[in-house]
Amino acid sequence: MTPAPSGHRGLPEAPDPLPIDVVDNHTHLDITREGDEPLDVAEAIARARAVGVTRLVQVGCDLDGIAFTMDAVDRHPELLGGIALHPNEVPRLAASGALEDAYAEVERLAAHERVRVIGETGLDYYRTGPEGVDVQQDGFRWHIDLAKRLGKALQIHDRDAHEDVLRILDEEGAPDRTVLHCFSGDLTMARECVERGYLLSFAGTVTFKNARGLRDALSATPLENLLVETDAPYLTPSPHRGATNASYLVPLTVRAIAGVLNVDVPTVCRAVSENAERVYGSWDRA
């Protein structure tokens, strides 16, 4: 398949539509990869809707992204919002003396009816060194508490920090609705998360040839614990790895998941849709 020329690293052609509508559990419509032209929000939503991805969770994880998210969820009924300070953002704000004010802004905005998620929060030991670990962990605990106080779902970013993520969730008490966004753990971690009642959200990484361990983790994930996402504009599923990702490419990941789980595509679609509405509520406006 030859990608169409565009300012999006050759934005891939749309896959075949899904037979049942699904949700992109985690996307960043505010983020543009270097060298790309911005993809208009309405166009991104329309492309997704055309292939059966009718609802999206837009995630803002710094103050600019949060402001974008608040505006987007008011304008577009296809979107619900997630807001938080990303674990790499927390040490930066702490170093500049701006963290407490940023927390106050997140808490103020998180009360909005269309914001259903506190996230992405968590731990990232890949980009933040040992000097940032303590403040990162404190930030994770703060967001867990906020999610519980407001009755919102929690979406977790976990990079190279599996043991500490599970430990802190155990220590703090996880919210009733806890999602491991872009799940990256192994089979053992998947089983531990399922045992705790967490949902595992799989991204395009599950389609990568070298991701056998991740597919093993997926194989241990019951349908009732399953979500799917893009993490767009990153983690584009095969066969378009390296291109710019967008919600309209979710069908590629859904079909790969169905293959790993040895179930039909409609079964995966129904599970993903029902789980998302159970975790986040209805996308319909009151």
Side-chain angles (χ1 to χ4, degrees):
M1 188 183 302
T2 303
S6 77
H8 298 278
R9 302 169 191 251
L11 205 60
E13 293 180 9
D16 291 338
L18 292 169
I20 296 173
D21 292 348
V22 300
V23 173
D24 181 352
N25 175 67
H26 189 110
T27 188
H28 300 281
L29 296 169
D30 55 304
I31 296 178
T32 302
R33 292 176 65 177
E34 184 178 353
D36 280 357
E37 299 171 6
L39 184 62
D40 179 76
V41 173
E43 179 187 355
I45 291 171
R47 284 175 177 264
R49 189 190 305 114
V51 296
V53 185
T54 55
R55 290 151 292 162
L56 291 69
V57 179
Q58 156 60 28
V59 176
C61 50
D62 59 21
L63 291 176
D64 288 342
I66 289 168
F68 175 99
T69 299
M70 302 307 298
D71 179 69
V73 298
D74 276 337
R75 290 175 180 267
H76 301 282
E78 299 88 350
L79 304 181
L80 292 177
I83 66 171
L85 301 174
H86 190 281
N88 289 324
E89 185 74 359
V90 169
R92 188 188 70 79
L93 289 166
S96 68
L99 182 57
E100 292 305 318
D101 286 345
Y103 280 156
E105 182 72 351
V106 171
E107 182 159 358
R108 180 181 73 84
L109 295 173
H112 191 291
E113 191 277 330
R114 300 292 290 179
V115 173
R116 306 286 176 80
V117 178
I118 303 303
E120 61 191 275
T121 180
L123 302 175
D124 188 322
Y125 296 165
Y126 179 76
R127 288 196 173 90
T128 296
E131 71 284 352
V133 166
D134 287 346
V135 69
Q136 219 181 68
Q137 293 188 1
D138 288 344
F140 186 23
R141 294 178 193 275
W142 183 88
H143 285 92
I144 293 170
D145 177 69
L146 180 64
K148 291 194 293 186
R149 285 191 286 113
L150 297 183
K152 309 278 183 173
L154 184 75
Q155 279 202 20
I156 296 170
H157 172 104
D158 165 25
R159 190 165 188 186
D160 295 351
H162 303 327
E163 291 183 5
D164 281 350
V165 163
L166 292 180
R167 174 180 60 81
I168 289 172
L169 285 170
D170 286 346
E171 290 173 356
E172 297 296 317
D176 291 337
R177 294 163 293 148
T178 295
V179 178
L180 274 294
H181 129 72
C182 191
F183 185 77
S184 60
D186 60 10
L187 175 62
T188 299
M189 184 177 180
R191 287 172 171 161
E192 291 184 16
C193 289
V194 168
E195 183 179 347
R196 290 166 167 82
Y198 305 158
L199 284 92
L200 280 55
S201 183
F202 290 88
T205 43
V206 78
T207 72
F208 296 172
K209 288 183 179 179
N210 62 349
R212 178 174 295 179
L214 189 56
R215 287 187 286 276
D216 289 343
L218 169 61
S219 71
T221 303
L223 287 170
E224 58 266 29
N225 296 81
L226 177 67
L227 292 168
V228 66
E229 66 176 79
T230 54
D231 201 18
Y234 307 110
L235 305 181
T236 311
S238 296
H240 305 298
R241 186 175 181 178
T244 294
N245 202 5
S247 296
Y248 77 94
L249 296 174
V250 161
L252 296 171
T253 304
V254 169
R255 291 188 169 101
I257 288 171
V260 172
L261 296 180
N262 196 28
V263 298
D264 60 35
V265 170
T267 296
V268 173
C269 292
R270 278 191 292 269
V272 166
S273 181
E274 291 170 4
N275 292 343
E277 297 230 353
R278 171 167 53 87
V279 172
Y280 307 123
S282 173
W283 268 250
D284 294 340
R285 294 190 184 275

